[in-house]
Amino acid sequence: MSLQRRQILAAGAGFGAAWMGGTALLPGSLGAAQAAAPLAGTVSPATFRFRVGAIEVTALHDGIAARPLDASFVRNAELRDVQAVLAENFLPTDTLNISFTTLLVNNGSKLVLIDTGFADNGGPTNGRTVAQLKSLGIEPSQIDVVLLSHFHGDHLQGARAKDGKLVYPNAEIMVPENEWAFWMDDARMAAAPDAMKGAFAGVHRVLKPNANDVKRFSWGQEVVTGITAVEASGHTPGHTAFAISSGGKTLIYVADITNTPLLFARNPEWRVMFDMDADKAVQTRKRILDMAATDRIQVSFYHGNFPSTGFIAREGTGYRLVPAPWSSVL
């Protein structure tokens, strides 16, 4: 017997009977299994581990931040067009939940954390990277290298806690030399517009106390065995992607070449408010997405829906992220 839609809705609202194999189970017939249980109120640890050749990569969910969606978010698109994309994907049209995903890379000799999230410098819905590491049995002191793609706060503030202590005390911090040259320039910081002074201050808070120990690298350099820095400027002057390669396989951590891929991969010409050089950012976005689509290279985004990794397919005048299949086997 097939249930009509109205019957199904009524059943969900008040019938109180469970259906199993076409048989109605009346209240009480399931025994103790139906006893009330308290809601957990929290989510389980959010990690996703996969392989790139012989290298293990683990996506770590640092959390989310909600921001009101208004006309300023995309500089060159009508708000209604942005909202239409969100609505088509069953998402709210007045608020955007921006997700943060850091990346742990184990090349067999070093544990490398790419970007750090917020630690205790963010809000109640983010700063989860350390907790995710601990859920895997990894302590912050075990991280050998912290690689920063660029110096926006959501990527580097998690390297130093509010109390001033390094979160990863034994890690070598490695940064793009072009990014360092821009943000660590005292004269540029003094001349920065008021809207950017906080960003400069945040960078200096994290990196200046140990400036002599921070290692700078250039684009094209293998910064750690199996990890090569890739030019991806535009979002910031030294914004860097990382190619993780082993055994003929490659993953590109593309950091912030898009903010939310759902919007900016689909519409690569759109200019998000966070891109410092919007024209250059568009060129970079299209170059990297086109390379990933052509060469069928797996990518990992910082701001995609967790676990924020998969493949790029061309679609119309833009691209879309095809999520990597979940697997419990490495």
Side-chain angles (χ1 to χ4, degrees), residues 156-240:
L156 95 162
Q157 287 295 329
R160 191 178 295 275
K162 275 185 179 179
D163 64 7
K165 295 179 181 177
L166 288 171
V167 174
Y168 306 99
N170 298 319
E172 180 178 38
I173 298 177
M174 303 182 70
V175 304
E177 61 183 8
N178 291 2
E179 195 75 349
W180 180 275
F182 179 86
W183 292 99
M184 297 301 288
D185 186 296
D186 289 332
R188 184 177 281 112
M189 179 177 175
D194 289 344
M196 287 191 66
K197 287 190 183 299
F200 273 95
V203 172
H204 283 232
R205 183 194 77 85
V206 172
L207 296 177
K208 205 158 192 177
N210 298 83
N212 292 336
D213 298 324
V214 177
K215 183 175 180 179
R216 277 90 86 184
F217 58 79
S218 58
W219 292 323
Q221 180 180 343
E222 187 177 43
V223 293
V224 179
T225 301
I227 306 177
T228 300
V230 177
E231 190 270 315
S233 59
H235 181 60
T236 65
H239 183 258
T240 299

Side-chain angles (χ1 to χ4, degrees), residues 61-64 100 116-131:
H61 194 220
D62 194 68
I64 62 170
F100 312 102
T116 65
F118 291 94
D120 60 354
N121 299 286
T125 59
N126 49 52
R128 309 283 175 83
T129 291
V130 168

Side-chain angles (χ1 to χ4, degrees), residues 36-243:
L39 299 178
T42 59
V43 298
S44 59
T47 67
F48 177 59
R49 179 169 287 162
F50 56 100
R51 293 181 73 113
V52 179
I55 292 176
E56 284 186 357
V57 178
T58 308
L60 310 168
H61 194 220
D62 194 68
I64 62 170
R67 57 163 292 120
L69 183 66
D70 57 31
S72 68
F73 186 70
V74 182
R75 298 171 179 169
N76 63 331
E78 296 291 337
L79 178 59
R80 64 176 179 270
D81 294 330
V82 178
Q83 291 174 320
V85 175
L86 296 174
E88 289 170 11
N89 288 275
F90 301 90
L91 294 172
T93 58
D94 58 347
T95 302
L96 190 64
N97 285 324
I98 299 178
S99 182
F100 312 102
T101 299
T102 58
L103 216 62
L104 178 70
V105 180
N106 184 347
N107 67 1
S109 61
K110 290 182 184 254
L111 284 176
V112 180
L113 182 66
I114 304 182
D115 289 335
T116 65
F118 291 94
D120 60 354
N121 299 286
T125 59
N126 49 52
R128 309 283 175 83
T129 291
V130 168
Q132 310 296 10
L133 287 170
K134 288 186 175 183
S135 78
L136 300 170
I138 299 171
E139 292 297 321
S141 60
Q142 294 177 268
I143 300 299
D144 297 296
V145 177
V146 167
L147 275 182
L148 297 179
S149 63
H150 64 295
F151 290 179
H152 279 168
D154 55 326
H155 293 257
L156 95 162
Q157 287 295 329
R160 191 178 295 275
K162 275 185 179 179
D163 64 7
K165 295 179 181 177
L166 288 171
V167 174
Y168 306 99
N170 298 319
E172 180 178 38
I173 298 177
M174 303 182 70
V175 304
E177 61 183 8
N178 291 2
E179 195 75 349
W180 180 275
F182 179 86
W183 292 99
M184 297 301 288
D185 186 296
D186 289 332
R188 184 177 281 112
M189 179 177 175
D194 289 344
M196 287 191 66
K197 287 190 183 299
F200 273 95
V203 172
H204 283 232
R205 183 194 77 85
V206 172
L207 296 177
K208 205 158 192 177
N210 298 83
N212 292 336
D213 298 324
V214 177
K215 183 175 180 179
R216 277 90 86 184
F217 58 79
S218 58
W219 292 323
Q221 180 180 343
E222 187 177 43
V223 293
V224 179
T225 301
I227 306 177
T228 300
V230 177
E231 190 270 315
S233 59
H235 181 60
T236 65
H239 183 258
T240 299
F242 296 103

Side-chain angles (χ1 to χ4, degrees), residues 18-25 30:
W19 284 81
M20 184 178 297
T23 302
L25 301 177
L30 293 180

Side-chain angles (χ1 to χ4, degrees), residues 285-298:
R285 183 177 307 130
K286 294 166 77 172
R287 169 174 54 86
I288 292 180
L289 291 177
D290 195 69
M291 175 181 64
T294 299
D295 297 339
R296 302 176 73 84
I297 298 172
Q298 187 171 352

